[in-house]
Amino acid sequence: MSSTLRIFLPGPEGGMDARSSLDAAARMLRFVHRVEVASGEQPVKWLFQGAESGSLVIDAVPDGSAERSVEAVIDGLIEADRREGVPRAWGERKLVEDAYSLAKSLVSEDFSGARFTWIIDGAVVKEATVTGRVRDHLEALVAVKHMSIGSVVGQLGTASLHKKLSATLWTDMGDAPIRLRFEKALVDQIRKSLGLRVEAHGRITRNWLDQPVEIKVRELIPLPELTELPDLDFYHGRYPEFVGGVDSIEHVRRMRDAS
């Protein structure tokens, strides 16, 4: 079984710039790679089989199995063209943001209508076009912001303490830093807390996945490091009558036997 990913970039009258066209095709292939990584597939090498000038048409052939990731790319574009919402094939926040960046770069006077076509044994299996509607639907997703008052716990990272006062907070539960903004009154406390665990309280800006991305800090509370927090033995020692003086394992065993 032979498979081919055809990338089509319609050019304007008078031809298209070769360098910008190849850059656009490379961006399309990079997005396929990001979907490969997100889907857990082993990334494949894409080998150029042929290209046509005028409107740029590039046939790329994988050196391994790429069906699942390519179909996820195409299915996501088809769904993004139909409606405003997170495509089922792109559950990860970063993929939606990457897809929006791709669509924004491809929907222009030069490249409007860029297309992915998946071909197996010479027959078109799936096809999707990057349209202005795809761009607009994805933009509506990534631009969504919610405001709330609350706090977030994490380790205070780097900070800019000069003109634009800001810092980064690496949360206990997340893998992306949150941007902190604060007034001059908090500069000394921020400086003393760099590298330490804190609770940042203030106005929180959240993205479309309800994840905090920025906090306008009103109060910064120092916290003990995770290694300094009390363990179960601490609570057992303080309240031995709660479990009848036995350790936690014996207490759970008694609860199980009693049920």
Side-chain angles (χ1 to χ4, degrees):
M1 181 179 70
S2 64
S3 55
T4 303
L5 178 62
R6 177 164 294 167
I7 292 174
F8 173 74
L9 290 162
E13 293 183 8
M16 56 198 316
D17 177 70
R19 179 177 297 173
S20 60
S21 300
L22 289 175
D23 286 346
R27 287 195 296 271
M28 295 173 77
L29 281 175
R30 279 197 295 271
F31 182 65
V32 174
H33 172 70
R34 292 187 184 107
V35 175
E36 284 177 335
V37 173
S39 65
E41 282 195 348
Q42 182 68 30
V44 301
K45 290 182 179 179
W46 291 93
L47 309 174
F48 283 164
Q49 188 178 56
E52 300 175 14
S53 58
S55 294
L56 180 65
V57 181
I58 292 178
D59 285 345
V61 178
D63 69 349
S65 175
E67 182 174 359
R68 187 170 64 175
S69 56
V70 170
E71 291 196 355
V73 169
I74 294 175
D75 288 344
L77 287 172
I78 291 172
E79 190 172 350
D81 189 66
R82 289 174 179 167
R83 68 181 186 91
E84 182 181 304
V86 181
R88 288 182 291 272
W90 305 340
E92 290 190 13
R93 160 194 168 189
K94 190 66 172 65
L95 278 184
V96 176
E97 293 175 345
D98 288 344
Y100 168 61
S101 296
L102 177 67
K104 186 169 61 171
S105 71
L106 292 179
V107 179
S108 66
E109 292 182 0
D110 290 341
F111 302 129
S112 183
R115 186 166 64 242
F116 286 100
T117 304
W118 186 229
I119 301 170
I120 296 179
D121 292 336
V124 173
V125 176
K126 286 193 174 185
E127 187 172 72
T129 303
V130 184
T131 64
R133 189 164 51 245
V134 169
R135 177 202 57 198
D136 294 344
H137 285 170
L138 294 176
E139 182 178 19
L141 272 180
V142 301
V144 170
K145 292 184 178 180
H146 307 284
M147 301 288 187
S148 63
I149 300 298
S151 62
V152 177
V153 172
Q155 185 180 51
L156 196 62
T158 57
S160 173
L161 304 177
H162 300 291
K163 291 183 179 180
K164 293 184 178 180
L165 302 178
S166 65
T168 56
L169 184 75
W170 293 89
T171 68
D172 290 349
M173 303 299 293
D175 58 359
I178 299 173
R179 182 170 181 260
L180 304 184
R181 295 190 294 115
F182 49 89
E183 302 296 333
K184 287 184 179 180
L186 287 175
V187 167
D188 287 342
Q189 190 175 1
I190 292 285
R191 182 182 289 111
K192 294 176 182 177
S193 301
L194 288 175
L196 302 180
R197 193 164 170 269
V198 297
E199 179 179 357
H201 185 275
R203 189 179 68 188
I204 302 174
T205 301
R206 298 178 180 273
N207 64 13
W208 58 276
L209 286 179
D210 203 35
Q211 297 169 326
V213 293
E214 183 179 274
I215 306 175
K216 187 173 182 180
V217 182
R218 296 179 180 175
E219 184 181 12
L220 196 71
I221 303 170
L223 296 175
E225 297 299 314
L226 292 174
T227 55
E228 299 172 352
L229 295 177
D231 56 19
L232 289 176
D233 290 337
F234 170 84
Y235 293 107
H236 170 256
R238 294 292 286 262
Y239 306 102
E241 68 278 4
F242 182 77
V243 293
V246 301
D247 60 30
S248 56
I249 295 177
E250 179 61 26
H251 177 63
V252 171
R253 183 180 292 112
R254 291 182 181 183
M255 292 176 61
R256 183 194 60 196
D257 293 342
S259 61

